[in-house]
């Protein structure tokens, strides 16, 4: 979602006549988009902000904007930020470009008419002048109302609401006209698309209509929630060739006690059954999941349940986070952060090592096989980069294919997290 917001801001700035520079030292305008989902991400922002203070000291005309979850949607929190970081000129809540539009208009930058409108959403269409974009993230559901006990997102991005499908589809038609070939529809729980808006179409139909747009070759969606994936959604992916067979479904833990403490709304058996159902309908489906290790009260035995669930479910990717208490969340207010840091790290390494070994073994079978990729970029060495339908990164040697082309390639080397190939 942050990447989508950043793309939109970049497009807005470029439309106003600004151009990207490679080094922040040479910029007249700097915008930092922020994530506070984990303490580590938040610490990174403070480091960057200290650096921007030095830049402002050297160049008092530099305009600095701060966007995203650190800013949040609560106005009195902006005052506190203003006090803490007095060298920042503009504060933008997540996905909200209004303060930036107002600033640009105030400064006399010419905005195209559709961008000068006083709307909150949709944000301006990405219209990069700095390079062809093949893959674009398009927000479908904003915010989240689920309130998992550890999660700060509902406090930062606000309540769940779906964008009108007419706006989303119009935006994607425009993107396709600008050369975009793959669209990723986004939501914190993307499967809930349309449920908050009476009369709106639901995700399976939105995906089908997106896939039918001329020029769009691939469609993905993320992130799914195990309790909200429907048989209709699985059927839409199974029966629509442009819909990539790839599901991002965070499980977070394999222990039912921890899942209950997280208030995730399912247990480990529900998750396993869901994945079995997806694989029965779509045998080639790729699966990615998220795990939090060291949630308050997680014992060795509870962690072992997570590790064995991962062996049984065998995802193609696991994003592993170490629990960190986030301000305002239920877990930070009511549960002691009682798993020592060293133990969290030990658990993280155990999961990562098992994943690496399993994928090394699984991917070895791909050597010599042909796979299809959508070429996204050309590296300075001439190597093409793209992904398989189930989201494995592939680097292609000796290819003359251009970004945006779907090509068949033969795998010549396979590692746990990427493949190397040549034209088939
Ligand atoms: S579903 Fe839970 S983890 Fe995901 S954004 Fe909403 S509250 Fe956070």
């Amino acid at each position: 979602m942050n990447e989508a917001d950043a793309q939109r801001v970049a497009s807005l700035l470029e439309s106003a006549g600004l151009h990207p520079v490679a080094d922040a030292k040479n910029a007249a305008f700097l915008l930092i988009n922020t994530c506070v989902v984990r303490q580590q991400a938040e610490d990174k922002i403070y480091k960057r902000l200290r650096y921007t203070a030095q830049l402002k000291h050297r160049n008092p005309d530099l305009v600095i904007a701060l966007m995203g979850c650190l800013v949040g949607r609560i106005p009195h929190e902006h005052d506190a930020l203003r006090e803490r970081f007095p060298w920042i000129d503009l504060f933008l809540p997540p996905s909200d470009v209004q303060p930036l539009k107002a600033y640009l208009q105030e400064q006399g930058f010419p905005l195209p008419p559709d961008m000068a409108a006083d709307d909150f959403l949709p944000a301006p269409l990405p219209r990069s002048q700095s390079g062809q974009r093949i893959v674009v993230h398009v927000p479908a559901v904003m915010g989240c109302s689920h309130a998992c006990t550890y999660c700060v997102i509902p406090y930062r991005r606000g309540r769940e609401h779906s964008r009108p499908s007419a706006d989303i589809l119009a935006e994607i038609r425009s993107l396709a006209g600008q050369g975009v070939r793959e669209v990723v529809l986004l939501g914190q729980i993307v499967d809930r698309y349309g449920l908050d808006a009476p009369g709106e179409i639901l995700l399976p139909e939105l995906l089908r209509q997106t896939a039918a747009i001329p020029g769009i070759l691939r469609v993905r969606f993320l992130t799914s929630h195990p309790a909200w994936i429907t048989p209709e959604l699985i059927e839409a992916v199974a029966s629509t060739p442009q819909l990539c067979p790839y599901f991002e479904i965070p499980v977070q833990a394999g222990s039912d006690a921890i899942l209950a403490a997280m208030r995730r709304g399912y247990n480990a058996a529900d998750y396993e059954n869901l994945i079995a159902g997806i694989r029965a309908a779509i045998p080639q489906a790729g699966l990615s999941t998220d795990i939090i290790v060291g949630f308050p009260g997680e014992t060795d035995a509870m962690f072992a349940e997570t590790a064995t669930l991962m062996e049984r479910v065998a995802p193609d990717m696991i994003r592993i986070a170490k629990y960190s208490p986030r301000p305002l969340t239920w877990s930070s207010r009511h549960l002691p952060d009682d798993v020592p840091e060293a133990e969290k790290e030990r658990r993280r390494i155990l999961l990562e090592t098992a994943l690496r070994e399993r994928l090394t073994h699984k991917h070895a079978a791909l050597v010599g096989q042909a796979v299809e990729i959508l070429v996204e970029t050309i590296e300075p060495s001439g190597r093409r980069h793209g992904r398989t339908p189930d989201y494995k990164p592939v680097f292609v040697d000796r290819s003359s294919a251009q970004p945006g082309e779907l090509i068949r390639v033969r795998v010549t080397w396979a590692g746990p997290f990427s493949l190397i190939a040549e034209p088939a």
Side-chain angles (χ1 to χ4, degrees):
M1 196 63 88
N2 264 6
E3 198 174 313
D5 289 350
Q7 279 179 351
R8 280 149 188 267
V9 166
S11 303
L12 175 60
L13 292 173
E14 289 182 13
S15 304
L18 282 82
H19 301 286
V21 290
D23 192 328
K25 283 197 212 80
N26 303 325
F29 183 97
L30 266 184
L31 182 138
I32 301 184
N33 196 13
T34 60
C35 168
V36 296
V37 74
R38 297 206 278 278
Q39 187 61 48
Q40 211 182 11
E42 194 170 332
D43 292 344
K44 215 152 81 181
I45 304 167
Y46 297 134
K47 206 168 140 202
R48 290 267 166 95
L49 285 176
R50 283 195 292 277
Y51 177 59
T52 63
Q54 292 170 19
L55 294 177
K56 185 89 165 194
H57 185 69
R58 267 181 248 153
N59 173 14
D61 292 336
L62 174 65
V63 178
I64 306 177
L66 192 65
M67 184 180 190
C69 287
L70 184 71
V71 178
R73 315 200 66 83
I74 305 165
H76 71 78
E77 286 186 4
H78 300 181
D79 296 338
L81 286 171
R82 248 177 227 114
E83 242 169 65
R84 193 166 166 203
F85 307 112
W87 62 94
I88 305 289
D89 302 281
L90 280 175
F91 293 89
L92 287 74
S95 303
D96 185 354
V97 294
Q98 274 314 321
L100 180 57
K101 280 185 187 175
Y103 171 81
L104 292 170
Q105 279 172 314
E106 215 176 271
Q107 298 295 312
F109 285 99
L111 293 184
D114 61 329
M115 292 195 181
D118 197 25
D119 56 319
F120 166 59
L121 280 170
L125 302 179
R127 53 178 86 194
S128 172
Q129 293 157 10
S130 57
Q132 176 60 52
R133 289 192 183 122
I134 300 302
V135 182
V136 170
H137 293 82
V138 175
V141 188
M142 315 298 291
C144 182
S145 302
H146 195 82
C148 300
T149 54
Y150 55 83
C151 184
V152 72
I153 287 175
Y155 303 97
R156 296 278 143 192
R157 287 191 168 268
R159 292 186 68 76
E160 173 185 89
H161 64 279
S162 300
R163 290 179 60 197
S165 56
D167 289 359
I168 297 171
L169 293 165
E171 181 173 336
I172 296 169
R173 274 191 285 275
S174 162
L175 291 169
Q178 296 167 58
V180 167
R181 295 290 167 258
E182 178 173 318
V183 166
V184 188
L185 290 174
L186 300 178
Q188 306 298 340
I189 305 182
V190 71
D191 327 87
R192 285 188 45 85
Y193 178 77
L195 291 174
D196 61 308
E200 186 52 275
I201 58 174
L202 302 181
L203 185 65
E205 183 55 23
L206 180 66
L207 289 170
R208 280 201 194 90
Q209 292 192 22
T210 302
I213 291 174
I216 296 299
L217 304 176
R218 283 183 171 181
V219 184
R220 302 181 191 275
F221 55 97
L222 56 98
T223 299
S224 288
H225 186 288
W228 293 101
I229 292 188
T230 58
E232 292 75 26
L233 177 60
I234 298 169
E235 154 53 28
V237 176
S239 62
T240 314
Q242 294 93 331
L243 297 189
C244 291
Y246 180 70
F247 292 79
E248 287 220 15
I249 318 175
V251 62
Q252 306 298 12
S255 147
D256 288 348
I258 295 293
L259 288 170
M262 290 175 164
R263 290 202 201 125
R264 286 288 292 173
Y266 54 84
N267 59 31
D270 295 334
Y271 189 83
E272 250 186 297
N273 289 338
L274 171 70
I275 304 307
I278 291 173
R279 289 194 171 134
I282 313 168
Q284 76 280 23
L287 170 70
S288 153
T289 195
D290 295 1
I291 295 283
I292 297 173
V293 293
F295 187 82
E298 187 186 64
T299 61
D300 257 355
M302 291 169 179
F303 170 70
E305 290 182 77
T306 300
T308 54
L309 178 70
M310 289 301 94
E311 273 167 36
R312 292 198 303 276
V313 170
D316 299 277
M317 182 50 67
I318 310 175
R319 286 191 198 83
I320 309 158
K322 292 182 280 187
Y323 173 80
S324 59
R326 309 309 296 134
L328 301 177
T329 58
W330 194 92
S331 68
S332 75
R333 287 181 287 123
H334 297 97
L335 302 173
D337 181 16
D338 57 0
V339 180
E341 173 59 29
E343 179 58 20
K344 288 177 187 167
E345 179 63 6
R346 190 187 74 88
R347 293 177 189 179
R348 186 192 70 75
I349 290 172
L350 278 174
L351 285 182
E352 193 184 280
T353 306
L355 174 73
R356 186 179 284 273
E357 280 170 11
R358 189 166 45 69
L359 292 182
T360 301
H361 183 70
K362 181 179 172 187
H363 290 176
L366 287 172
V367 176
Q369 305 280 323
V371 294
E372 185 184 72
I373 69 158
L374 174 65
V375 180
E376 293 176 27
T377 51
I378 303 177
E379 303 205 320
S381 66
R383 262 187 173 180
R384 272 55 181 166
H385 171 252
R387 287 181 185 269
T388 61
D390 60 351
Y391 211 59
K392 295 186 198 343
V394 184
F395 297 91
V396 187
D397 292 321
R398 288 188 287 283
S399 169
S400 55
Q402 291 306 300
E405 281 181 42
L406 275 179
I407 58 171
R408 282 190 80 68
V409 297
R410 192 165 306 283
V411 178
T412 55
W413 177 88
F417 303 116
S418 65
L419 309 173
I420 298 177
E422 52 188 34

